[in-house]
Amino acid sequence: MSRGKWLGGAAMAMLFALTATPAAAGTTAELLKRLHEKGILTDEEYQQLAQQDAAQVAPAAPPPAQSAAASLDDKRLVRMSDSGVGMEVGGVSVKISGSVNGFYTHENGQAPGPNTAVVGGVVPVGGKSASVRNGLLPGYLKFDITTNQGGWDVGAHFGMYPGINSATYAAGGGANSGGRNTALQTAGIDFRQTYMTIGRAGLGEFKLGRDIGLFGSEGILNDITLLSVGSSGGNVAPSNTSLGRIGIGYIYTDFQPQITYSSPKLGGFQISAGIFQPLESLTGPGESSKSPGFQGKIVYDGKFGDLSARAWLSGITQKHHRIDGVTYTGSGFDTGAKIGYGPIMLTGYYYNGSGLGTTALNLFDTDATGAKRDSDGFYLQGLATFGKFSVGGSYGESNLHYANAADALANPALLDKSSSWVGQARYGLTSWVTLIGEYIRTKSQAHNGNAAEADTVAAGAILFF
């Protein structure tokens, strides 16, 4: 074999070795050129090898099963979320949270009588009753999808709140209308949360959609009956929720359409303010939605050694335009504090309103002529926790005042005061499940002296994940 042919064969072998991987394919043109210039490759050999180099293509794609496995490699694309049940996929966090509860509730209610009628009272008249029902919370299933885009933290939030009791969907009651204890019924699904969030560090956050309000929110969120039953509000045919302390210490904040801004926390302080869908009076002749509602809240959170503190002040106002031409402005504020020291947590809450009503926003807020009624209320609460055991108790009341002397003459049986005592014991069975037992004594009294009372015992469990 001649020296030239031997070198040419060696060059071709080298070329095949270099082009066996895609990283080397197309990179040997310079090498072939140098071998040709040195006379090691003839013109024919150079042309042949150059054509083979140019013809190199990428290797065949891996089998489909192998590609699918690579795309599901959680080390590269998917990781578990830092909290809750969920995951992060490609920078998007998907989190699912929820709750389920059920309580056996026995109520020794007020027997019917000539002096038991209380217009606006929270104690139903009907004697003894028993039920298996939801407490103040229905169940809920919430989805939070959040990410960062262009430096903005954005999120979509959806919350469904199904109960375990059958709902009638009576006029005005929706999914939380009075129950119906017959076969072939279904529970109600209250889709009370649908909102988006937009924010960034140092700027704060904007919320647009339907979510819990600002005024009154601290009252219910810090109430120990939020996890249990409290006052039943009706135990014969229960709806998705009990009352807890709604109307017996605070006005229900409700879930409302809103555009709300919350500031960054500064020195423990945070300010929130928003514009809200106007609400009609529940006792008026009807309204035109000319003026929006406004709500605001300031919260302080601090920790001083073993002492923790949370304090708040919120306000609400809305101008009402009745279809009969009467206008009035309903307004109010609430304030309170929660102080923890060691195993003890103490909470105090107070609200005051004019043209705001009682129990629900704008319920019994005026008389028939549109004259405003004032209202106020409070609760005091203590909770002690020792390991997995907690014991607590509270007292609270809500008061509704006449608009004027004419109102008193026209509505002698109007609610004057609703009050309740609550005693509660809890046991943390697992990190998800809490067992709860409770005793509640509730009373509603009218301005003319009529009254209704109920004693309630509840036992059950609530689960959060």
Side-chain angles (χ1 to χ4, degrees):
M1 180 181 297
S2 68
R3 177 176 178 274
K5 288 186 177 182
W6 182 89
L7 290 173
M12 293 183 68
M14 182 184 300
L15 174 65
F16 291 145
L18 288 171
T19 59
T21 63
T27 64
T28 58
E30 185 65 22
L31 174 61
L32 294 175
K33 182 179 179 182
R34 292 292 179 87
L35 292 174
H36 179 249
E37 290 173 347
K38 292 179 178 296
I40 297 174
L41 295 177
T42 64
D43 292 341
E44 181 179 354
E45 290 171 339
Y46 172 74
Q47 293 296 331
Q48 179 183 359
L49 292 173
Q51 290 174 3
Q52 290 178 357
D53 176 56
Q56 292 297 316
V57 295
Q66 183 179 345
S67 298
S71 68
L72 294 176
D73 182 359
D74 61 3
K75 293 181 180 178
R76 296 189 300 114
L77 298 176
V78 181
R79 71 177 183 86
M80 299 305 295
S81 62
D82 293 332
S83 63
V85 178
M87 59 185 178
E88 183 176 303
V89 184
V92 177
S93 294
V94 181
K95 181 178 175 181
I96 303 172
S97 57
S99 177
V100 182
N101 71 81
F103 295 88
Y104 172 77
T105 306
H106 182 86
E107 186 163 273
N108 187 13
Q110 180 70 55
N115 301 310
T116 58
V118 181
V119 177
V122 297
V123 179
V125 176
K128 296 181 179 180
S129 62
S131 66
V132 176
R133 60 173 300 159
N134 278 123
L136 177 52
L137 276 177
Y140 70 79
L141 183 63
K142 187 178 179 185
F143 296 86
D144 298 282
I145 299 92
T146 56
T147 188
N148 185 281
Q149 297 178 339
W152 291 92
D153 295 318
V154 299
H157 311 265
F158 306 91
M160 298 179 289
Y161 289 70
I164 65 173
N165 296 96
S166 299
T168 60
Y169 286 90
N176 294 320
S177 61
R180 185 174 184 181
N181 298 335
T182 62
L184 307 179
Q185 303 302 310
T186 59
I189 298 178
D190 175 0
F191 213 132
R192 64 178 69 174
Q193 286 178 306
T194 309
Y195 64 95
M196 61 183 289
T197 51
I198 309 170
R200 65 193 311 166
L203 176 64
E205 182 180 82
F206 291 89
K207 178 191 296 181
L208 300 87
R210 183 186 184 96
D211 194 25
I212 195 169
L214 299 177
F215 170 79
S217 59
E218 295 292 332
I220 191 169
L221 294 177
N222 291 288
D223 175 14
I224 60 172
T225 70
L226 181 65
L227 305 186
S228 56
V229 176
S231 298
S232 72
N235 198 47
V236 175
S239 63
N240 276 1
T241 72
S242 63
L243 283 178
R245 280 208 169 279
I246 296 174
I248 322 163
Y250 51 80
I251 297 174
Y252 180 48
T253 176
D254 222 321
F255 286 73
Q256 306 169 57
Q258 61 187 274
I259 300 175
T260 301
Y261 166 75
S262 295
S263 72
K265 289 187 177 181
L266 181 62
F269 288 91
Q270 184 174 40
I271 298 173
S272 300
I275 183 170
F276 286 71
Q277 167 69 25
L279 297 176
E280 292 187 20
S281 171
L282 289 166
T283 49
E287 299 184 29
S288 59
S289 300
K290 294 182 179 180
S291 302
F294 299 94
Q295 297 184 30
K297 182 170 73 170
I298 181 170
V299 176
Y300 171 77
D301 284 296
K303 190 169 179 62
F304 312 92
D306 294 332
L307 181 71
S308 64
R310 180 178 177 87
W312 61 87
L313 173 67
S314 73
I316 183 173
T317 185
Q318 180 192 322
K319 187 172 184 179
H320 296 264
H321 303 264
R322 297 191 351 174
I323 58 175
D324 60 3
V326 173
T327 62
Y328 66 96
T329 298
S331 60
F333 73 91
D334 73 346
T335 186
K338 181 171 67 174
I339 299 174
Y341 184 79
I344 307 298
M345 185 70 69
L346 301 176
T347 305
Y349 175 86
Y350 173 78
Y351 78 90
N352 189 287
S354 179
L356 202 62
T358 187
T359 307
L361 291 169
N362 309 120
L363 176 63
F364 300 110
D365 54 350
T366 70
D367 68 1
T369 68
K372 294 190 294 185
R373 293 170 174 151
D374 293 338
S375 58
D376 57 76
F378 71 92
Y379 72 80
L380 299 172
Q381 173 182 284
L383 183 69
T385 301
F386 306 97
K388 292 186 175 184
F389 288 94
S390 298
V391 292
S394 66
Y395 172 81
E397 63 181 54
S398 289
N399 306 288
L400 182 64
H401 308 284
Y402 281 129
N404 47 44
D407 189 17
L409 289 173
N411 302 284
L414 181 69
L415 173 70
D416 179 18
K417 178 173 71 174
S418 288
S419 62
S420 72
W421 291 92
V422 175
Q424 185 184 100
R426 306 177 186 172
Y427 176 72
L429 184 65
T430 73
S431 61
W432 284 18
V433 179
T434 302
L435 308 180
I436 302 177
E438 193 172 57
Y439 166 77
I440 311 98
R441 182 171 180 81
T442 311
K443 181 178 181 179
S444 288
Q445 184 173 335
H447 282 274
N448 67 357
N450 287 359
E453 298 179 341
D455 293 287
T456 306
V457 176
I462 188 166
L463 176 152
F464 290 97
F465 68 89

